[in-house]
DNA sequence: CTGAAAGCGCTTACAG
DNA sequence: CTGAAAGCGCTTACAG
């Protein structure tokens, strides 16, 4: 047990060349065909695998980029990880996922770990460390990009979802469908704030007063609680939930109380989680392309690693996914009385059931 | 830019001691209080952070355990990661997640990467590499544990979910609730097979014939397709889905066709995903404690790393979560005609709606 | 308790 | 194209 792995020296001896030549052959540098053949044979025979720790020490580069996510559990982070992989894989870079910066202290630890391991770059998702501390920790030797940063601007490259725009589009969709009294179940943190302000701006642009705000925290449970709040608001015909998990809880509670959806209440979510298309009614929502964000983050961090990067700030767009959870609102009904019915396909969907 | 980080030598000079003393102080070995104080002061002043790559090379241990998951996207893997963290964190070990072994080739690459990086242990989830290749790659220097391995036995420590037992419990539950004609939407791979055989065994033990088998592949889409199959099977009163995602698709399609659930069809899933409690009707299912599996895997790999480990095979139990998607079956109705109604609370739930 | 020195397994100018 | 040698930043017997 614990037998020694062959080292580059073993290979050199077996091949009758120097370790420098083995190193060159392994890394695709110029080497005579004869030497290359001998090295390859020896590598094969000994089952040699280079020790990347030693290489890392010698080169000062590890070839890995570290990713800190708030919580591995989120399906969105998983998608983001996939996007990161899309770009690192072809470049021969590895990336390591470190979980959870749910607290600043955990994030600090995770970041230190990564830095001590000499990662070449870091992607911090939803970071909550103060900018100056980040600067001090990360220094200038390591590429860094911030995704969905809580605090505002930094001297770092950052990438954020267009939460405001997505919320605007969702609210606008409800308005276009004829809703005038639209509630919002709020979320948390920066993303929650931005979604709220997109909602408010859409109402304002439509000349509508702000609808009731119901406290939420991005969980299903808060959606369930919101259902109670809605009962006291009979004039509300539609609600924009800060995310799909809230919408899931809300729909669940409403259905359990016997509400007919979407006829009695239209609901729209945010995120487009994998289950959202399969709810009943299927959930109209705002899709965020987490994979694209991951790709973008990886590209930026690679650029930052090579030093060729000006700090920049990117906003990733969202798209509205229209499904069946939004029915025409009262304004649409009024319009129908005047004009001949001009059913859009979305209206079709929502009217097929009753 | 690219300024040099301080090294142990910088600290030694600043503190007026040798690097050996700095090393000892940093690692909590015996050092005179005076020396310790000087080192600590210098570390603080220079902002020194040890280079774990260099340490890894010197000690031959990296302090990291690598985890290969089939797909970061699964919420279950996320839970497992949390469980792994539960045990590695207090031990000062790090773990790195490498994604996706959806193909043997990708898994091979991921494993090589990990090994080249000198991880002290690996946890392979759902590995599909042949046992002999695993043995050759991993060797005896690295601890390894297999979670939910596809192929049968190995010389490795393995941990599996009790898929068979969970499926048995699910099917038994349907039988106890009075169902006699129970279909099964199948899954994939070893887990799918085991769930199928648990289902078959439960029917057999109850003296019932096997019900119809509908092909599935663990996706919502296959659940949607299964709904069509069920239409042709009017005598089926209950269906055991190989996982919750299938159940989600099935419920979605059935509801869209106007079925009343659970009255017209009882449904039971497997996994207990986060959304399952919020479906309408809320889904009765088999919970797997992925976090506990992760914990167990981590404990075993730590033991394997210290060499103090006999290979072992553990089976992690499941538990039935009774919610509202199972209604009493025909046998229960017949029983009711004889005896006065003896409604269990579960029956209550499922009869409140119609 | 402490220091000088060798060693971990690579890479890379520097000569040739 | 190739080799000898120094160096990457630590740790750890070995002496003292």
């Amino acid at each position: 047990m614990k037998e020694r792995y062959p080292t580059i020296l073993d290979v050199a001896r077996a091949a009758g060349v120097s370790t420098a030549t083995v190193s060159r052959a392994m890394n695709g540098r110029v080497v005579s065909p004869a030497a290359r053949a001998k090295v390859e044979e020896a590598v094969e025979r000994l089952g040699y695998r280079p020790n990347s720790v030693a290489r890392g020490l010698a080169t000062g580069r590890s070839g890995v980029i570290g990713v800190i996510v708030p919580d591995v559990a989120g399906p969105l982070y998983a998608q983001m990880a996939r996007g990161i992989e899309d770009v690192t894989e072809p470049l021969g870079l590895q990336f390591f996922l470190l979980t959870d910066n749910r607290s600043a202290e955990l994030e600090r630890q995770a970041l230190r770990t990564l830095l001590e391991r000499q990662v070449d770059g870091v992607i911090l998702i939803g970071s909550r460390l103060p900018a100056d501390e980040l600067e001090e920790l990360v220094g200038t030797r390591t590429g860094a990009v911030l995704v969905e940063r809580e605090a505002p601007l930094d001297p770092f490259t950052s990438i954020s979802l267009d939460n405001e725009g997505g919320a605007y589009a969702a609210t606008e969709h409800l308005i276009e469908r004829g809703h005038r009294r639209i509630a919002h179940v709020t979320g948390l943190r920066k993303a929650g704030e931005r979604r709220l302000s997109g909602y408010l701006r859409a109402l304002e642009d439509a000349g509508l007063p702000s609808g009731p705000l119901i406290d939420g925290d991005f969980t299903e449970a808060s959606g369930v609680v919101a259902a109670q709040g809605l009962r006291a608001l009979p004039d509300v015909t539609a609600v924009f939930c800060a995310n799909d998990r809230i919408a899931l809880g809300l729909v669940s509670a409403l259905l359990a109380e016997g509400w007919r959806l979407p006829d009695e209440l239209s609901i729209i979510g945010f995120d487009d989680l994998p289950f959202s298309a399969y709810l009943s009614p299927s959930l109209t929502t705002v899709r965020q392309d987490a994979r694209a964000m991951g790709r973008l983050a990886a590209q930026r961090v690679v650029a930052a690693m090579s030093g060729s990067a000006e700090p920049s700030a990117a906003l990733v767009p969202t798209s509205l996914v229209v499904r069946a959870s939004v029915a025409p609102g009262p304004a649409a009904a009024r319009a129908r009385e005047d004009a001949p019915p001009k059913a859009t396909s979305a209206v079709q969907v929502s009217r097929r059931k009753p």
Side-chain angles (χ1 to χ4, degrees), chain A:
Chain A
M1 187 137 191
K2 304 283 172 192
E3 90 282 16
R4 201 171 65 82
Y5 286 144
T7 71
I8 198 172
L9 186 58
D10 299 316
V11 175
R13 285 191 186 128
V17 298
S18 72
T19 59
T21 295
V22 177
S23 174
R24 289 182 191 114
M26 296 289 295
N27 294 301
R29 306 270 182 61
V30 273
V31 155
S32 70
R36 182 176 302 278
K38 283 188 293 184
V39 169
E40 278 169 1
E41 186 276 332
V43 164
E44 181 62 34
R45 182 154 51 82
L46 300 180
Y48 170 67
R49 316 209 42 74
N51 178 332
S52 27
V53 171
R55 174 190 310 190
L57 186 58
T59 60
R61 308 178 22 76
S62 62
V64 355
I65 95 177
V67 181
I68 299 181
V69 301
D71 181 348
V72 258
L76 292 169
Y77 302 124
Q79 280 307 106
M80 240 178 249
R82 182 91 79 225
I84 293 170
E85 189 180 30
D86 287 341
V87 355
T88 53
E89 211 264 1
L91 294 176
L93 295 169
Q94 261 89 46
F95 78 99
F96 287 144
L97 221 54
L98 276 209
T99 175
D100 106 10
N101 57 2
R102 281 159 303 180
S103 79
E105 184 47 33
L106 285 171
E107 181 187 353
R108 188 175 293 123
Q109 273 181 32
L111 183 55
R112 286 207 168 130
T113 295
L114 249 17
L115 262 14
E116 290 180 5
R117 300 218 174 263
Q118 314 301 115
V119 295
D120 297 332
V122 292
I123 296 176
L124 303 180
I125 302 175
S127 166
R128 51 181 77 199
L129 291 180
D132 54 346
E133 187 175 352
L134 269 180
E135 275 198 77
E136 191 193 319
L137 278 174
V138 171
T140 61
R141 239 194 54 176
T142 311
V145 4
L146 302 174
V147 176
E148 289 287 79
R149 175 81 161 91
E150 287 301 306
L153 28 156
D154 297 301
F156 290 99
T157 286
S158 70
I159 295 174
S160 297
L161 184 71
D162 186 8
N163 288 298
E164 220 262 350
Y168 187 97
T171 311
E172 187 179 48
H173 176 68
L174 293 174
I175 296 169
E176 282 171 358
R177 296 299 305 280
H179 294 279
R180 293 296 171 262
R181 185 76 179 145
I182 301 168
H184 175 48
V185 185
T186 60
L188 290 179
R189 297 183 295 266
K190 214 71 197 171
E193 272 175 44
R194 296 257 164 72
R195 293 176 190 182
L196 169 60
S197 66
Y199 154 84
L200 292 174
R201 189 165 60 81
L203 291 176
E204 196 182 315
D205 285 0
L208 294 174
S210 165
L213 261 28
I214 304 176
D215 274 350
D217 63 2
F218 282 146
T219 65
E220 289 86 359
S222 71
V224 169
V225 172
Q228 300 176 8
L230 250 8
R231 234 181 335 200
L233 299 164
D235 55 333
V236 167
T237 62
V239 38
F240 164 47
C241 299
N243 73 354
D244 284 2
R245 291 182 59 196
I246 292 176
L248 174 61
L250 179 62
V251 165
S252 168
L254 256 21
L255 253 22
E257 289 181 19
W259 291 50
R260 287 176 304 112
L261 301 181
D263 306 281
E264 296 185 69
L265 189 71
S266 289
I267 295 173
I268 193 164
F270 201 115
D271 285 345
D272 196 23
L273 297 188
F275 64 72
S276 300
Y278 294 95
L279 295 185
S280 307
S282 64
L283 189 65
T284 291
T285 187
V286 177
R287 173 177 298 160
Q288 59 165 300
D289 190 346
R291 185 164 179 169
M293 284 187 77
R295 264 196 299 262
L296 189 56
Q299 286 158 192
R300 295 287 164 95
V301 82
V302 167
M305 279 159 48
S306 71
S308 71
E310 290 304 291
S312 62
L315 212 55
V316 176
T318 60
S319 58
L320 187 69
V321 182
V322 175
R323 289 196 279 246
S325 63
V326 175
R334 253 175 271 133
R336 265 204 306 278
E337 281 163 24
D338 303 341
K342 195 184 61 172
T344 71
S345 76
V347 172
Q348 286 292 93
V349 168
S350 59
R351 298 177 73 200
R352 206 175 48 203
K353 304 259 182 63

